[in-house]
């Protein structure tokens, strides 16, 4: 069994070549957030909590944007396998326009109504004032972040994974420099506190797409496309894109909205609790980068093979990814459980975080370590296999069932009706969603109904795949 799943060196060469740069890019992006959290944490629990709440608004936008980009990736990865350059450019153009429109909407809300946004999470005057001050500036980064996500999806889906990684390295270093300078008044820069952290985020965010475009102009990669081809899409192209993308957008929006609702629940239980949640989520972003890399590699390899009609290979690769992600999640979960206290203490370099907050953070990491395998299996199946395989609807259905019909109501009851301890509320949030979703995802995977090509080669290959399976079953 080990040789069957892990003995294909050709598979691992391609998978690691694709996964490593993406994992490193996301590690750098998470380090971007880590630097913010550590530096703002030196201003105290209240500032850390306020920035965490304000940041959730931008995070929710990122989830919607990710849905749009994931929908685009379904087409781009399969078009890449079919060598359909015109289709890639057309999809790229639709994604850019879509992301710009939604980013503009969130920018307007964040700029004009920052206090209202923060009050969704917490109504304490000091928290609202601090969070609004941060959001009023940070919202200027939304458009840059969205466009940069589209650029990265196009590059990754066409197997150009190194450029986003190198650009993330530059923007992370820039963010750390600007963060320290603008928060504390170092390097001759003004001391701006929370507002300085927001301004550093804006500057670093805009540096990303500018650098990617500059280097792309030199490389002449897929991002530098003729305007006529990029925006030459018609109503039929838009309808085809959104037929696949809309379920993904709804899926990510529903999941993001559910997570946002959990943030509201946690924040209303006390800003001290939310400070621990902010620290935990920063660590979660870092731990998750390895799985993002693997998921991205799976998405490219599965999507490319499905688009090219190599269905059997797509299925074999998907099985390897599922098994490896599960085993790696168990390994990571054990490490997190063993070193949870040391991990929590990293965020208290200045001694401004209270002992109770650090203790609670360690408890959250314990729950997270236990849940990690169950958390990551649905992720690799839905995002790394079902979507690139062409099925963008199943994730939406599973999130509606497991998140909205189970986890959200049970967490709400635990927090406000039964008034359980905070750590119990947090554990219920995870368990109520994950275990049901794992069972449903694994069961659906073995139906192979997620194989839904969007290319002619893929459709032909799928017919041959099913015919081969019918013959195999008949021989048995």
């Amino acid at each position: 069994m080990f040789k069957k799943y892990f003995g294909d060196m050709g598979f691992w060469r391609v998978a690691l070549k694709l996964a490593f740069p993406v994992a490193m890019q996301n590690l750098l992006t998470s380090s971007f957030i880590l630097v913010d959290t550590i530096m703002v944490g030196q201003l105290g629990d209240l500032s850390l909590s306020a920035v965490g709440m304000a940041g959730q608004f931008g995070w929710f936008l990122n989830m919607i944007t990710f849905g749009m980009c994931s929908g685009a990736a379904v087409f781009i990865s399969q078009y890449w396998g079919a060598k359909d350059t015109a289709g890639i450019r057309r999809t790229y153009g639709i994604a850019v326009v879509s992301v710009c429109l939604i980013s503009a909407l969130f920018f307007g809300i964040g700029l004009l109504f920052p206090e209202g946004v923060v009050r969704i999470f917490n109504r304490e005057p000091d928290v609202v004032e601090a969070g609004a001050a941060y959001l009023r500036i940070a919202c200027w980064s939304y458009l840059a972040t969205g466009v940069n996500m589209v650029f990265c999806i196009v590059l990754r889906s066409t197997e150009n994974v190194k450029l986003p990684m190198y650009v993330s390295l530059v923007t992370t270093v820039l963010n750390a420099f600007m963060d320290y300078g603008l928060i504390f008044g170092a390097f001759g820069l003004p001391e701006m506190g929370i507002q300085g952290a927001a301004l550093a985020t804006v500057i670093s965010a805009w540096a990303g797409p500018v650098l990617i475009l500059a280097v792309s102009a030199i490389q002449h990669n897929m991002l530098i496309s003729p305007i006529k081809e990029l925006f030459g899409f018609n109503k039929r192209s838009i309808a085809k894109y959104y037929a696949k993308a809309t379920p993904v957008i709804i899926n990510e929006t529903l999941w993001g909205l559910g997570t946002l609702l959990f943030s509201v629940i946690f924040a209303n239980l006390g800003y001290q609790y939310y400070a621990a949640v902010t620290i935990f989520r920063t660590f979660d972003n870092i731990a998750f980068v390895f799985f993002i890399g693997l998921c991205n590699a799976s998405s490219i390899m599965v999507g490319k093979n499905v688009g090219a009609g190599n269905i059997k290979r797509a299925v074999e690769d998907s099985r390897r990814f599922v098994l490896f992600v599960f085993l790696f999640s168990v390994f990571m979960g054990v490490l997190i459980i063993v070193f949870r206290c040391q991990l929590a203490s990293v965020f208290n370099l200045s001694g401004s975080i209270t002992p109770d907050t650090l203790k609670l953070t360690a408890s959250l990491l314990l729950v997270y370590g236990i849940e990690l395998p169950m958390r990551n299996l649905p992720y690799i199946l839905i995002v790394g296999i079902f979507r690139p395989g062409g099925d963008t609807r199943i994730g939406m259905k599973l999130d509606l069932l497991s998140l909205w019909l189970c986890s959200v109501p049970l967490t709400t009851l635990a927090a406000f009706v039964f008034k359980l301890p905070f750590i119990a509320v947090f554990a219920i949030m995870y368990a109520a969603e994950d275990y049901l979703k794992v069972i449903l995802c694994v069961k659906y995977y073995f139906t192979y109904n997620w194989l839904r090509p969007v290319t002619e080669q893929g459709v032909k290959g799928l017919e041959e795949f099913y015919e081969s399976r019918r013959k195999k079953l008949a021989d048995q």
Side-chain angles (χ1 to χ4, degrees):
M1 178 178 174
F2 182 86
K3 185 176 181 180
K4 177 182 178 181
Y5 285 98
F6 301 119
D8 188 338
M9 297 310 297
F11 165 82
W12 288 112
R13 277 195 296 271
V14 176
L16 293 176
K17 179 183 175 182
L18 296 172
F20 182 77
V22 176
M24 288 302 100
Q25 184 205 348
N26 281 278
L27 179 61
L28 291 166
T29 303
S30 298
S31 299
F32 187 116
I33 300 170
L34 173 64
V35 169
D36 275 348
T37 304
I38 291 176
M39 292 191 182
V40 173
Q42 296 182 53
L43 302 176
D45 283 1
L46 188 145
S47 295
L48 181 60
S49 184
V51 170
M53 292 176 195
Q56 283 296 292
F57 186 63
W59 177 87
F60 182 50
L61 168 62
N62 287 343
M63 293 307 302
I64 300 174
T65 304
F66 178 70
M68 293 177 172
C69 291
S70 293
V74 172
F75 289 95
I76 295 172
S77 62
Q78 291 197 28
Y79 285 150
W80 183 244
K83 297 178 171 42
D84 184 353
T85 303
I88 293 173
R89 289 171 174 166
R90 192 166 55 244
T91 305
Y92 166 29
I94 296 172
V96 167
V97 172
S98 301
V99 165
C100 286
L101 290 174
I102 191 66
S103 297
L105 174 62
F106 272 70
F107 164 74
I109 296 172
L111 183 66
L112 299 176
F113 311 105
E115 292 87 358
V117 172
V118 180
R119 284 195 188 98
I120 295 173
F121 302 94
N122 193 288
R123 295 181 178 274
E124 295 180 47
D126 290 343
V127 175
V128 172
E129 182 182 357
Y134 178 88
L135 182 58
R136 196 176 284 111
I137 297 173
C139 66
W140 290 88
S141 69
Y142 291 170
L143 180 60
T145 303
V147 170
N148 192 66
M149 192 180 296
V150 176
F151 289 170
C152 290
I153 284 292
V154 174
L155 291 172
R156 291 174 184 173
S157 298
T158 54
E159 298 185 80
N160 186 345
V161 293
K162 291 184 178 179
L163 177 55
M165 178 184 69
Y166 292 137
V167 170
S168 290
L169 176 60
V170 174
T171 56
T172 299
V173 173
L174 176 62
N175 180 65
F177 175 84
M178 298 303 296
D179 248 337
Y180 189 75
L182 291 171
I183 292 175
F184 305 110
F187 315 122
L189 297 172
E191 184 178 348
M192 299 174 63
I194 281 180
Q195 292 173 305
L199 182 56
T201 296
V202 173
I203 294 170
S204 304
W206 278 102
V210 170
L211 285 172
I212 285 181
L213 276 182
V215 176
S216 295
I218 297 171
Q219 292 182 345
H220 297 290
N221 60 40
M222 194 60 67
L223 292 183
I224 308 302
S225 301
I227 298 297
K228 185 177 180 181
E229 290 188 40
L230 194 62
F231 299 110
F233 47 81
N234 52 32
K235 291 182 179 179
R236 183 180 177 184
S237 301
I238 296 173
K240 185 178 180 181
Y241 168 79
Y242 275 102
K244 286 287 184 184
T246 298
V248 184
I249 296 169
I250 294 173
N251 181 192
E252 296 301 333
T253 302
L254 283 174
W255 192 84
L257 192 59
T259 303
L260 201 66
L261 185 55
F262 291 137
S263 295
V264 173
I265 293 172
F266 298 154
N268 278 278
L269 292 175
Y271 77 80
Q272 297 89 344
Y273 292 131
Y274 203 82
V277 172
T278 300
I279 294 173
F280 160 75
R281 283 182 173 160
T282 303
F283 173 78
D284 178 28
N285 288 333
I286 295 173
F288 200 48
V289 299
F290 303 104
F291 301 102
I292 292 175
L294 289 168
C295 185
N296 185 80
S298 175
S299 181
I300 294 171
M301 293 171 70
V302 171
K304 182 179 179 181
N305 281 312
V306 169
N310 301 323
I311 305 300
K312 182 180 178 182
R313 181 69 191 192
V315 172
E316 290 174 348
D317 287 351
S318 71
R319 288 175 181 169
R320 293 186 178 98
F321 277 112
V322 169
L323 184 57
F324 183 72
V325 164
F326 177 76
L327 294 175
F328 190 49
S329 297
V330 172
F331 172 73
M332 286 284 290
V334 171
L335 288 181
I336 291 167
I337 291 169
V338 172
F339 296 105
R340 62 188 184 278
C341 295
Q342 292 89 335
L343 293 169
S345 66
V346 170
F347 296 87
N348 195 33
L349 295 179
S350 68
S352 301
I353 306 298
T354 63
D356 286 344
T357 297
L358 294 175
K359 184 178 179 181
L360 180 58
T361 302
S363 298
L364 299 182
L365 288 172
L366 173 62
V367 174
Y368 178 72
I370 295 170
E371 277 287 313
L372 196 58
M374 296 299 103
R375 196 78 175 162
N376 284 332
L377 268 180
Y379 173 66
I380 187 67
L381 284 165
I382 293 174
V383 181
I385 296 172
F386 297 162
R387 287 180 187 173
D391 190 343
T392 58
R393 294 179 180 274
I394 187 64
M396 176 183 67
K397 295 174 182 177
L398 293 179
D399 269 344
L400 181 63
L401 177 62
S402 60
L403 179 63
W404 284 96
L405 297 184
C406 293
S407 186
V408 169
L410 288 176
T411 304
T412 304
L413 288 171
F416 300 120
V417 177
F418 298 109
K419 300 186 184 300
L420 298 179
F422 184 81
I423 191 64
V425 175
F426 184 84
I428 288 170
M429 174 195 72
Y430 269 145
E433 177 185 359
D434 293 345
Y435 287 93
L436 175 61
K437 192 185 289 188
V438 164
I439 294 170
L440 295 175
C441 278
V442 172
K443 183 178 179 181
Y444 186 74
Y445 172 78
F446 286 106
T447 67
Y448 299 110
N449 289 333
W450 48 274
L451 290 164
R452 301 182 184 184
V454 298
T455 64
E456 292 182 7
Q457 297 97 314
V459 171
K460 183 179 179 181
L462 184 61
E463 292 173 354
E464 294 172 353
F465 173 76
Y466 280 130
E467 180 62 29
S468 174
R469 281 180 56 81
R470 281 193 290 268
K471 289 181 179 179
K472 186 176 181 179
L473 290 173
D475 293 340
Q476 292 176 352

